């Protein structure tokens, strides 16, 4: 039985994941040692912490890869998960730690945990489960569409007022992708777009009537500065455009083959957040186009593979889990790369699997594990027959009553 399961594992996703995490560890060390040195820390301080994060993440991936994904669709799991998610998002306002002008973190024994990151998992599972259950009446706007949308808006609002625009935007766009893939008709989707524009208008009005002290926490000078630097970063090179301008210098100096691993200059105090938000700039400077292709190509290969798994999955819930995870990876990667290259305003989002950060890596690893479980079940059924599902998820036996045939005289 165990050998059959191993033969059914999606090694394309697994090996790509391991390569990206290993590559990320190398680049975290290269990008972070100057920051550690400036703060009188060991040169490998961030590298060692990221190794610990990676080991925990690999364990999470293995656990979720072998755990039956259909369990998450059950109400006894789904409802407590969402209640805990809301509770943590509210609790962070009272006991949360503030970093980068956002009260988004819990500090537990020297370890920082960002609850909004883990809400990405719960929202993907929640929306996938809800819309899978609503397939018989998926185009009924009042019964099939609206209830999850209002809950999504509430979750995004709680994250926005932390304030964490990047994570809220990622969850919103990922949820939109799940909704589009759920099988709704175009007419229903157009109604949702209209509703979304209405909610954005309502949020803007609420934002305008909020007290000045609360509004200033959401629309900070730093965020306005990012918008200004996005339009013309070199005009603000000494202030708010400092990050983007130095990112340009790093990317432009890398060329085809780069300056050499560890030989980058911009990380030496010129490029803030070199090991997190702008790690792609360090990769471009030190390893050139080939290094960027390795990072970006690996991420988008995983996205492509997850979409293929979703298309092959006959179960609606499993398909939506795959599409949701693929959407999350693609959106987060685009926002990170777009911010580092000036295509979109900087939002402080990490590059999946590669940037420094424990919460982000653990969340993505859990989701990859869930997709691997979906793929594993598909492969098992295809190779060893349809009985795989009943072997993985024990089903209750139903008593079938049969009528005794009457004897004709």
């Amino acid at each position: 039985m165990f050998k059959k399961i191993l033969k059914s594992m999606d090694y394309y996703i697994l090996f790509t994941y391991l390569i990206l995490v290993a590559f990320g560890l190398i680049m975290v060390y290269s990008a972070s040692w100057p920051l550690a040195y400036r703060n009188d820390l060991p040169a490998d301080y961030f590298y060692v912490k990221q190794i610990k994060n990676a080991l925990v993440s690999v364990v999470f991936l293995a656990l979720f890869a072998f755990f039956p994904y259909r369990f998450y669709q059950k109400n006894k799991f789904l409802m407590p998960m969402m209640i805990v998610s809301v509770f943590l998002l509210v609790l962070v306002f009272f006991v949360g730690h503030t970093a980068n002008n956002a009260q988004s973190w819990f500090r537990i024994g020297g370890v920082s945990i960002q609850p909004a990151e883990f809400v990405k998992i719960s929202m993907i599972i929640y929306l996938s489960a809800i819309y899978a259950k609503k397939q018989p009446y998926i185009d009924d706007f009042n019964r099939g569409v609206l209830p999850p949308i209002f809950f999504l808006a509430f979750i995004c609002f709680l994250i926005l007022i932390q304030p964490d625009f990047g994570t809220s935007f990622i969850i919103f766009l990922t949820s939109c992708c799940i909704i589009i893939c759920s099988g709704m008709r175009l007419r229903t989707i157009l109604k949702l777009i209209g509703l979304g524009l209405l909610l954005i208008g309502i949020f803007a009005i609420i934002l305008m009537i909020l007290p000045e002290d609360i509004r200033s926490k959401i629309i900070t000078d730093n965020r306005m500065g990012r918008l200004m630097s996005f339009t013309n970063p070199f005009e603000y090179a000494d202030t708010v455009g400092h990050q983007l301008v130095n990112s340009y210098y790093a990317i432009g100096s890398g060329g085809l083959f780069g300056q050499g691993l560890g030989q980058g200059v911009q990380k030496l105090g010129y490029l803030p957040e070199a090991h997190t938000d702008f790690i792609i700039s360090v990769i471009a400077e030190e390893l050139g186009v080939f290094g960027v292709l390795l990072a970006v190509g690996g991420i988008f290969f995983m996205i492509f593979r997850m979409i293929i798994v979703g298309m092959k999955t006959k179960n609606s819930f499993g398909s939506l889990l795959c599409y949701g995870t693929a959407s999350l990876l693609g959106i987060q990667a685009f926002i990170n790369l777009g911010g580092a290259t000036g295509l979109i305003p900087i939002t402080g989002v990490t590059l999946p699997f590669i940037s420094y950060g424990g919460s982000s890596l653990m969340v993505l690893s859990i989701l990859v594990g869930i997709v691997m479980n979906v793929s594993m079940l598909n492969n098992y059924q295809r190779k060893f027959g349809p009985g795989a599902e009943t072997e993985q998820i024990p089903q209750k036996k139903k008593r079938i009553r049969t009528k005794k045939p009457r004897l004709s005289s």
Side-chain angles (χ1 to χ4, degrees):
M1 175 67 181
F2 188 68
K3 288 182 180 179
K4 290 182 179 181
I5 292 176
L6 289 180
K7 288 181 180 179
S8 304
M9 186 173 291
D10 196 320
Y11 289 102
Y12 291 105
I13 293 178
L14 178 61
F15 288 151
T16 307
Y17 166 84
L18 293 174
I19 290 170
L20 286 173
V21 172
F23 181 63
L25 288 173
I26 295 170
M27 294 314 304
V28 164
Y29 179 75
S30 178
S32 66
W33 70 260
L35 177 63
Y37 179 79
R38 290 195 302 271
N39 288 277
D40 296 323
L41 297 169
D44 61 352
Y45 176 77
F46 295 101
Y47 171 71
V48 170
K49 290 186 71 174
Q50 188 68 355
I51 285 181
K52 294 177 182 178
N53 294 332
L55 291 174
V56 173
S57 298
V58 169
V59 171
F60 278 146
L61 179 138
L63 291 174
F64 282 86
F66 287 99
F67 191 83
Y69 75 90
R70 288 207 176 183
F71 175 79
Y72 311 130
Q73 197 176 10
K74 297 181 178 180
N75 286 332
K76 63 181 179 182
F77 172 82
L78 202 61
M79 298 311 296
M81 177 187 68
M82 299 317 300
I83 291 171
V84 170
S85 297
V86 172
F87 174 74
L88 292 177
L89 289 178
V90 173
L91 185 64
V92 79
F93 291 109
F94 299 97
V95 296
H97 172 72
T98 302
N100 296 325
N101 298 316
Q103 192 169 345
S104 307
W105 305 82
F106 289 126
R107 294 294 296 271
I108 304 173
V111 177
S112 296
I113 298 174
Q114 189 176 8
E117 282 289 329
F118 291 90
V119 172
K120 293 176 182 177
I121 302 175
S122 59
M123 286 306 299
I124 288 175
I125 293 176
Y126 170 75
L127 290 175
S128 299
I130 291 297
Y131 284 116
K133 291 178 181 178
K134 293 178 181 291
Q135 286 299 305
Y137 49 95
I138 193 67
D139 286 303
D140 187 326
F141 204 73
N142 293 328
R143 292 174 59 211
V145 179
L146 280 183
I149 298 297
F150 286 127
F151 186 72
L152 168 64
F154 178 62
I155 290 291
C156 289
F157 178 75
L158 288 178
I159 299 173
L160 268 175
I161 60 178
Q162 290 182 0
D164 186 348
F165 280 79
T167 303
S168 179
F169 193 55
I170 289 171
I171 290 175
F172 175 75
L173 290 181
T174 302
S175 302
C176 289
C177 291
I178 295 173
I179 292 168
I180 291 172
C181 294
S182 66
M184 294 179 187
R185 294 178 182 174
L186 179 60
R187 182 177 60 184
T188 307
I189 294 174
L190 290 176
K191 287 182 181 179
L192 276 176
I193 293 174
L195 178 63
L197 294 175
L198 177 62
L199 290 175
I200 291 173
I202 293 173
F203 176 74
I205 294 172
I206 293 174
L207 196 60
M208 294 300 296
I209 63 177
L210 283 174
E212 179 64 27
D213 57 336
I214 297 177
R215 188 166 65 247
S216 62
K217 291 181 180 180
I218 299 174
I219 307 177
T220 62
D221 293 337
N222 184 39
R223 288 187 173 86
M224 292 302 298
R226 288 179 178 181
L227 290 174
M228 293 165 59
S229 65
F230 165 67
T231 56
N232 191 355
F234 287 94
E235 184 178 346
Y236 305 97
D238 295 330
T239 54
V240 290
H242 177 73
Q243 288 179 308
L244 188 54
V245 167
N246 284 282
S247 177
Y248 284 156
Y249 289 152
I251 294 171
S253 63
L256 194 61
F257 300 103
Q259 304 291 329
L261 184 62
Q263 303 302 313
V265 174
Q266 295 304 314
K267 66 188 179 184
L268 303 176
Y270 301 104
L271 184 64
E273 310 295 338
H275 62 308
T276 54
D277 304 347
F278 287 91
I279 199 166
I280 194 65
S281 306
V282 178
I283 293 172
E285 184 180 18
E286 297 187 352
L287 301 179
V289 173
F290 288 103
V292 173
L293 287 177
L294 174 62
V296 178
I299 292 170
F300 281 92
F301 175 77
M302 288 191 71
I303 294 170
F304 172 77
R305 185 66 189 172
M306 289 175 179
I307 293 173
I308 295 298
V309 173
M311 293 173 65
K312 290 182 178 180
T313 304
K314 297 180 180 179
N315 176 265
S316 297
F317 178 52
S319 293
L320 291 176
L321 285 175
C322 295
Y323 296 147
T325 303
S327 301
L328 175 65
L329 282 179
I331 292 165
Q332 187 163 326
F334 174 78
I335 292 175
N336 176 272
L337 297 171
T341 56
L343 292 175
I344 60 175
I346 298 168
T347 54
V349 172
T350 57
L351 185 63
F353 307 114
I354 296 175
S355 293
Y356 173 84
S359 295
S360 176
L361 183 57
M362 290 176 196
V363 164
L364 293 174
S365 299
I366 290 170
L367 288 170
V368 171
I370 293 173
V371 172
M372 285 182 63
N373 184 261
V374 177
S375 178
M376 192 184 303
L377 179 57
N378 291 345
N379 293 336
Y380 194 104
Q381 289 176 326
R382 180 169 52 84
K383 292 179 180 179
F384 305 107
E389 185 178 345
T390 55
E391 289 181 31
Q392 192 181 35
I393 306 174
Q395 303 288 337
K396 292 182 179 179
K397 293 183 178 180
K398 295 181 179 180
R399 292 184 61 185
I400 302 175
R401 296 181 179 179
T402 57
K403 294 183 180 180
K404 293 182 180 180
R406 293 181 179 179
L407 296 174
S408 58
S409 55

